[in-house]
């Protein structure tokens, strides 16, 4: 089987991590793979270092003529059985190739929580030209069905985590490496509206007087970073909130924390939660999108309504003041990842879907 993977992502986020994990797992299954990814990205660099066959494209838009021409040359040369588009932009280009007569079956991953908004071009891209859609959560599957995509075209394939990549250096050593101390609350993610960092900062302002030795760690970057820095300053939290570059060693950061937070307003799944749970961290997250498919209240974590700084602050205080309960929930979270969210399971399901579409 020959699979051409497409990824137009600019940054290293959950989707790129899953492409990376899938690439290695399918290599173990002797699948022949080629990658067309955005130029000068961390994904491109990592794939090249591991001797995967790839070309780097501009991916200016889903109708970018230069990328379309280059992708057409790749398809003619590699002659894939399956083209797997891992995001909407690369799916647009692959759909144009299908319209132009490319015979490879088209499979699309869908990670984002927002709907297709009845856009006729998007509906054609997902409904007519794509053989199968891999939704990363039941929530996304249900959203696609509401938007008019036939249910038999959609399979749920949860993200996977390579537990061998989870290094556990110990809390004290991790804190020494990062120069952190106190009761540490942290999150990881791009500073965008849907990630809800503002509500987390407001929640921290509410809990800070009750837990004076608490610190908030925000690892990320993005267009709203300046806004959040101003909010921190206005709440007089400059000495208690630490902004870290997203290139920080995530394993060390998560080992250093006492609780992980995902305050998203909307979220397709929240794959960073898998890494946090694998580190046996108690997690507090928003009850939105696919998050409740990972975070089961009082079992594998704690859920609060999105946009509710008061409830989030109270939940964090409860976690930090009840170590026994937090430890028990964190242990069950780690078990959930081991049982249901392995890379091996994700890759096996994906490979079976490839086989199914080729059989039709």
């Amino acid at each position: 089987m020959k699979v051409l993977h497409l990824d137009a992502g600019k940054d290293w986020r959950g989707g790129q991590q899953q492409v990376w994990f899938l690439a290695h797992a399918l290599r173990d299954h002797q699948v022949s793979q080629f990658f067309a990814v955005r130029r000068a990205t961390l994904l491109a660099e990592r794939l090249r270092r591991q001797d995967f066959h790839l070309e780097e494209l501009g991916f200016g838009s889903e109708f970018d003529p230069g990328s379309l021409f280059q992708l057409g040359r790749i398809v003619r040369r590699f002659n894939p059985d399956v083209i797997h588009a891992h995001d909407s932009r690369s799916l647009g280009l692959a759909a144009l190739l299908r319209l132009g007569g490319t015979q490879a079956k088209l499979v699309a991953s869908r990670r984002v929580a927002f709907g297709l908004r009845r856009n006729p071009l998007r509906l054609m891209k997902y409904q007519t030209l794509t053989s199968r859609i891999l939704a990363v959560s039941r929530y996304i599957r249900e959203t696609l069905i509401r938007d008019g995509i036939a249910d038999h075209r959609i399979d749920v394939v949860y993200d996977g985590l390579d537990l061998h990549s989870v290094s556990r250096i110990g809390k004290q050593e991790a804190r020494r490496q990062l120069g952190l101390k106190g009761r540490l609350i942290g999150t990881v993610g791009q500073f965008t509206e849907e990630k809800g960092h503002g509500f987390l900062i407001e929640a921290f302002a509410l809990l800070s007087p009750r837990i004076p030795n608490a610190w908030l760690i925000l690892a990320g970057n993005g267009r709203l970073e300046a806004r959040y820095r101003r909010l921190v300053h206005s709440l007089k939290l400059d000495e208690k909130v630490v902004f870290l570059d997203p290139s920080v060693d995530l394993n060390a950061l998560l080992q250093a924390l006492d609780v992980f937070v995902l305050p998203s307003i909307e979220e397709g799944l929240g794959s960073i939660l898998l890494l946090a749970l694998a580190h046996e961290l108690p997690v507090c997250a928003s009850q939105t999108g696919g998050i409740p498919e990972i975070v089961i209240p009082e079992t594998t974590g704690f859920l609060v309504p999105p946009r509710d700084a008061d409830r989030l602050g109270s939940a964090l205080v409860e976690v930090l003041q009840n170590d026994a309960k937090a430890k028990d929930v964190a242990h069950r979270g780690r078990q959930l990842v081991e049982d249901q969210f392995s890379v091996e399971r994700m890759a096996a399901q994906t490979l079976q879907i490839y086989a199914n579409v080729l059989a039709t």
Side-chain angles (χ1 to χ4, degrees):
M1 184 187 298
K2 299 169 72 174
V3 179
L4 170 61
H5 298 277
L6 312 179
D7 188 275
K10 296 179 180 179
D11 304 303
W12 182 270
R13 303 178 72 171
Q16 288 66 47
Q17 177 106 67
Q18 293 306 303
V19 173
W20 175 251
F21 285 152
L22 183 62
H24 285 274
L26 293 184
R27 175 181 271 181
D28 291 341
H29 284 278
Q30 308 303 311
V31 174
S32 179
Q33 301 177 87
F34 196 99
F35 295 82
V37 300
R38 184 181 284 270
R39 187 175 297 120
T41 57
L42 184 56
L43 177 60
E45 178 187 334
R46 290 187 174 185
L47 288 170
R48 198 176 298 281
R49 280 204 308 248
Q50 292 293 313
D51 295 324
F52 286 100
H53 300 294
L54 77 149
E55 284 196 27
E56 299 179 48
L57 280 63
F59 283 116
S61 72
E62 60 181 321
F63 305 112
D64 175 27
S67 295
L68 181 63
F69 176 75
Q70 191 174 353
L71 188 57
R73 290 179 56 192
I74 294 169
V75 168
R76 288 191 293 274
R77 185 170 73 250
F78 182 59
N79 191 27
D81 302 301
V82 174
I83 300 175
H84 187 163
H86 291 270
D87 59 273
S88 181
R89 180 168 295 188
S90 64
L91 176 60
L93 290 169
L96 290 176
L97 290 179
R98 283 284 294 167
L99 283 173
T102 296
Q103 295 302 303
K105 299 288 188 177
L106 183 53
V107 171
S109 289
R110 182 73 176 172
R111 306 186 58 81
V112 294
F114 54 82
L116 300 179
R117 299 187 178 91
R118 308 303 299 173
N119 183 314
L121 290 176
R122 287 196 175 195
L123 285 173
M124 181 180 71
K125 182 169 66 174
Y126 282 97
Q127 176 79 302
T128 306
L129 299 173
T130 302
S131 295
R132 193 76 92 250
I133 302 169
L134 280 58
V136 299
S137 64
R138 294 193 304 272
Y139 176 84
I140 290 180
R141 183 178 190 274
E142 291 161 4
T143 300
L144 288 168
I145 291 170
R146 286 196 300 270
D147 285 342
I149 305 299
D151 59 356
H152 69 271
R153 289 181 175 270
I154 312 166
D155 294 293
V156 175
V157 179
Y158 285 118
D159 285 348
L161 182 69
D162 179 8
L163 288 169
H164 300 294
S165 69
V166 180
S167 63
R168 309 183 75 177
I169 62 176
K171 188 178 292 294
Q172 296 309 313
E173 174 60 19
R175 291 184 172 201
R176 187 193 66 77
Q177 289 183 15
L178 296 168
L180 300 173
K181 59 183 179 179
R183 302 305 304 275
L184 301 183
I185 301 163
T187 191
V188 176
Q190 292 284 306
F191 294 130
T192 56
E193 203 75 52
E194 71 273 9
K195 292 298 183 180
H197 289 86
F199 298 100
L200 173 55
I201 294 168
E202 292 171 359
F204 182 73
L206 295 172
L207 75 83
S208 190
R210 299 178 63 181
I211 306 179
N213 66 335
W215 292 68
L216 176 61
I217 315 300
L218 305 176
N221 58 18
R223 59 185 179 83
L224 299 184
E225 181 175 348
R227 178 203 292 184
Y228 295 140
R229 287 183 179 273
R230 289 194 299 270
L231 177 60
V232 167
H233 182 70
S234 71
L235 294 171
K236 298 180 173 56
L237 295 171
D238 301 84
E239 301 301 318
K240 289 295 189 76
V241 178
V242 178
F243 287 81
L244 293 179
D245 188 271
S247 63
V248 66
D249 182 342
L250 288 185
N251 279 306
L253 174 59
L254 292 171
Q255 278 293 101
L257 296 179
D258 292 295
V259 57
F260 182 83
V261 191
L262 193 64
S264 302
I265 297 169
E266 59 180 27
E267 193 73 60
L269 181 68
S271 59
I272 186 63
L273 290 168
L274 300 178
L275 185 57
L277 292 175
H279 279 279
E280 288 198 49
L281 268 176
V283 300
C284 286
S286 299
Q287 190 166 0
T288 186
I291 290 176
E293 297 171 47
I294 298 176
V295 182
I296 303 166
E298 310 295 321
T299 301
T300 62
F302 305 88
L303 290 178
V304 298
R307 305 175 188 267
D308 193 331
D310 289 341
R311 293 281 294 277
L312 179 55
S314 297
L316 290 170
V317 169
E318 180 183 353
V319 173
L320 291 173
Q321 291 183 340
N322 193 334
D323 289 340
K325 182 176 182 180
K327 184 176 181 179
D328 178 59
V329 168
H331 177 72
R332 281 183 279 180
R334 164 79 186 197
Q335 195 63 53
L336 176 75
V337 174
E338 292 178 357
D339 293 345
Q340 299 183 31
F341 292 93
S342 70
V343 165
E344 292 77 16
R345 176 218 36 90
M346 178 270 289
Q349 286 183 297
T350 302
L351 191 57
Q352 185 60 58
I353 289 167
Y354 293 163
N356 291 345
V357 299
L358 288 174
T360 58

